[in-house]
């Protein structure tokens, strides 16, 4: 079962729908949109119950897909794959021993990534900072958690990051990570039961420039050094998320060190069981 947040035509009102083949069946979520559904203990039965009274559907290609969140915060986990650890050690001007320590430590690296206003949906532009010359996409499996921090589904996340800013000093991490359009999410939320077994989930990244593929990489969730449950447990310690939260689980794909995103590049991230999230890149004075 996959659900999407969408709008029709130029109408600003968001809706939630269930994807069935190439149709979207409208789900009556009331005024709270996705958040209303995220509060339910048994999401699948709740969706089936709400669907029973709904008869409106739209062809999938006719709607505008929106990022699958309302007021939820987005958090990120870092250095959860060996590839990410090596990349951080490489970029860090201070030698990067923090990264090796955090890769092995009991406590994971967790950081605040974005408020909903900094998140873009499918097809919307992600941003390269004007004060960065080394900016990369980070393709990540994103966990969708309800207010009790139950894992109710998965979406695709792009934790766009400025490697030069973080590399100059790890204390610059928030500036490397948190800025306008620094995070993309979508295209849908695949409910937990609809996902393939964890060890078989593949993640692929493709970057196109001037009509040609200039980078392709892939990894698998099997290479993640942490379990989802472990990340969720740490995220919930002395913290609360009254509307639920999205947690990015870290990147295992890092383009070569001489690669940086440029305006007009197209970034495509595919994750088994969910689909493909595609975003163009911009760099401009005003967000
Ligand atoms: O320490 C930096 C963050 C690393 C990160 O975002 C990742 O591994 O995905
Ligand atoms: Mg990341």
């Amino acid at each position: 079962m996959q659900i999407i947040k969408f709008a029709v035509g130029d109408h600003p009102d968001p809706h939630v729908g269930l994807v069935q083949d190439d149709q979207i069946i409208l789900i009556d979520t009331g005024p709270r949109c996705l958040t209303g559904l995220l509060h339910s203990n048994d999401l699948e039965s709740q969706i089936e119950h709400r669907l029973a009274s709904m008869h409106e559907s739209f062809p999938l290609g006719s709607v505008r897909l929106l990022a699958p969140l309302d007021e939820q915060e987005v958090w990120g986990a870092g250095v959860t794959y060996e590839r990410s650890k090596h990349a951080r050690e490489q970029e860090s001007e201070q030698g990067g021993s923090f990264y090796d320590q955090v890769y092995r430590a009991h406590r994971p690296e967790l950081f605040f990534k974005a408020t909903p206003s900094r998140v873009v949906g499918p097809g919307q532009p992600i941003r390269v900072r004007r004060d960065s010359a080394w900016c990369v996409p980070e393709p990540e499996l994103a966990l969708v958690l309800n207010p009790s921090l139950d894992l109710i589904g998965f979406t695709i996340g792009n934790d766009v990051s400025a490697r030069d800013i973080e590399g100059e000093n790890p204390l610059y991490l928030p500036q490397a990570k948190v800025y306008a359009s620094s995070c993309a999410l979508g295209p849908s939320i695949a409910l937990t039961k609809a996902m393939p077994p964890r060890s078989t989930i593949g993640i692929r990244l493709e970057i196109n420039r001037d009509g040609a593929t200039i980078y392709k990489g892939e990894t698998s969730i099997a290479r993640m050094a942490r379990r989802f449950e472990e990340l969720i447990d740490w995220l919930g310690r002395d913290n609360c998320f009254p509307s639920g939260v999205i947690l990015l689980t870290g990147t295992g794909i890092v383009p070569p060190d001489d690669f940086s995103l440029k305006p007009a590049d197209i970034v495509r991230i595919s994750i088994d069981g969910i689909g493909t999230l595609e975003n163009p890149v911009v760099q401009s004075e005003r967000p």
Side-chain angles (χ1 to χ4, degrees), residues 55-56 73 94 98 134 230 235 263:
H55 303 290
E56 207 170 347
E73 294 173 352
Q94 328 291 326
F98 300 113
W134 191 15
E230 183 187 345
L235 182 67

Side-chain angles (χ1 to χ4, degrees), residues 86-164:
H86 289 318
R88 286 339 119 208
E89 288 168 342
Q90 201 72 30
E91 78 203 10
S92 172
E93 291 179 14
Q94 328 291 326
S97 70
F98 300 113
Y99 298 105
D100 184 51
Q101 287 168 31
V102 84
Y103 184 70
R104 291 166 206 289
H106 187 45
R107 181 190 290 270
E109 177 194 3
L110 293 174
F111 57 90
F112 179 78
K113 172 65 186 175
T115 48
S117 67
R118 297 185 173 91
V119 176
V120 301
Q124 296 181 310
I126 48 174
R127 181 175 300 276
V128 170
R129 284 186 68 117
R130 279 181 301 134
D131 53 5
S132 166
W134 191 15
C135 182
V136 292
E138 293 192 355
E140 307 190 9
L141 181 67
L143 311 182
V144 181
L145 305 168
N146 69 12
S148 314
L149 295 186
D150 301 316
L151 176 57
I152 58 141
F154 298 85
T155 189
I156 301 175
N158 189 345
D159 170 23
V160 185
S161 303
R163 292 187 67 186
D164 46 356

Side-chain angles (χ1 to χ4, degrees), residues 6-79:
F6 68 98
V8 181
D10 292 336
H11 216 276
D13 288 351
H15 305 283
V16 176
L18 177 71
V19 183
Q20 266 184 0
D21 303 318
D22 52 2
Q23 290 287 311
I24 298 158
I25 309 184
L26 189 70
I27 302 173
D28 175 18
T29 53
R32 297 203 68 199
C33 211
L34 262 181
T35 306
L37 276 184
L38 292 190
H39 274 81
S40 141
N41 285 334
D42 182 355
L43 193 53
E44 289 206 20
S45 347
Q46 187 63 233
I47 290 173
E48 268 156 23
H49 174 73
R50 292 181 195 217
L51 270 178
S53 59
M54 303 301 296
H55 303 290
E56 207 170 347
S57 69
F58 304 87
L60 187 53
S62 72
V63 302
R64 256 182 318 120
L65 295 178
L66 304 174
L69 83 174
D70 297 336
E71 66 255 35
Q72 290 75 22
E73 294 173 352
V74 181
W75 285 66
V79 199

Side-chain angles (χ1 to χ4, degrees), residues 106-284:
H106 187 45
R107 181 190 290 270
E109 177 194 3
L110 293 174
F111 57 90
F112 179 78
K113 172 65 186 175
T115 48
S117 67
R118 297 185 173 91
V119 176
V120 301
Q124 296 181 310
I126 48 174
R127 181 175 300 276
V128 170
R129 284 186 68 117
R130 279 181 301 134
D131 53 5
S132 166
W134 191 15
C135 182
V136 292
E138 293 192 355
E140 307 190 9
L141 181 67
L143 311 182
V144 181
L145 305 168
N146 69 12
S148 314
L149 295 186
D150 301 316
L151 176 57
I152 58 141
F154 298 85
T155 189
I156 301 175
N158 189 345
D159 170 23
V160 185
S161 303
R163 292 187 67 186
D164 46 356
I165 296 178
E166 183 187 347
E168 191 178 337
N169 187 321
L171 295 180
Y172 293 153
L173 185 79
Q175 295 176 73
K177 297 275 189 188
V178 187
Y179 59 91
S181 316
S182 66
C183 180
L185 292 176
S188 61
I189 297 176
L191 300 197
T192 310
K193 280 189 199 153
M195 284 296 280
R198 177 194 151 126
S199 61
T200 66
I201 302 173
I203 304 184
R204 287 165 294 282
L205 168 66
E206 188 182 310
I207 304 167
N208 286 2
R209 181 171 296 163
D210 302 327
T213 302
I214 51 162
Y215 175 77
K216 254 182 165 180
E218 62 184 317
T219 190
S220 157
I221 297 298
R223 306 181 88 130
M224 229 179 106
R226 307 250 182 198
R227 291 175 305 113
F228 301 147
E229 296 73 18
E230 183 187 345
L231 297 175
I232 297 168
D233 173 60
W234 282 99
L235 182 67
R237 292 193 187 195
D238 284 66
N239 219 337
C240 55
F241 302 95
S243 300
V245 58
I246 311 273
L247 176 61
L248 309 178
T249 55
T251 188
I253 305 175
V254 184
D257 288 352
D258 59 0
F259 176 85
S260 183
L261 284 174
K262 284 194 177 152
D265 285 354
I266 306 285
V267 177
R268 207 170 279 134
I269 302 171
S270 303
I271 301 189
D272 295 330
I274 308 173
T276 299
L277 171 66
E278 183 177 307
N279 299 92
V281 176
V282 290
Q283 184 175 41
S284 66

